[in-house]
Amino acid sequence: MKKDLPVDVSKWSIGDVKKFFESKPDCQPVLSLLEDQEIDGQALLLLSQDTMVKCLNIKLGPALKIMAHVDQLKQQQATHT
């Protein structure tokens, strides 16, 4: 996780989510979509693969990559609480 981002992902702003995914080359194609849909930290934690594919029209491959990063964030957050 980037050092300058809050530890509590649910408190991330839309800009924080963008900043996190900017450091993930495999997620670059969907950065603008996440920003356009105003995905903040709280929304990010609630996203599912199904929602990304069906509602946000993100292709399955990028959706799986995003979910892998989100799952990793959830695990890191669980260890900090």
Side-chain angles (χ1 to χ4, degrees), residues 13-53:
S13 67
I14 297 164
D16 291 336
V17 170
K18 182 179 179 186
K19 191 182 302 183
F20 174 76
F21 282 110
E22 282 175 340
S23 67
K24 312 293 182 204
D26 53 345
C27 296
Q28 295 294 318
V30 297
L31 273 177
S32 61
L33 179 62
L34 293 174
E35 189 173 28
D36 291 345
Q37 293 298 317
E38 299 181 359
I39 304 296
D40 60 8
Q42 196 170 24
L44 183 67
L45 293 173
L46 294 173
L47 276 179
S48 68
Q49 173 199 321
D50 195 48
T51 301
M52 283 191 275
V53 172

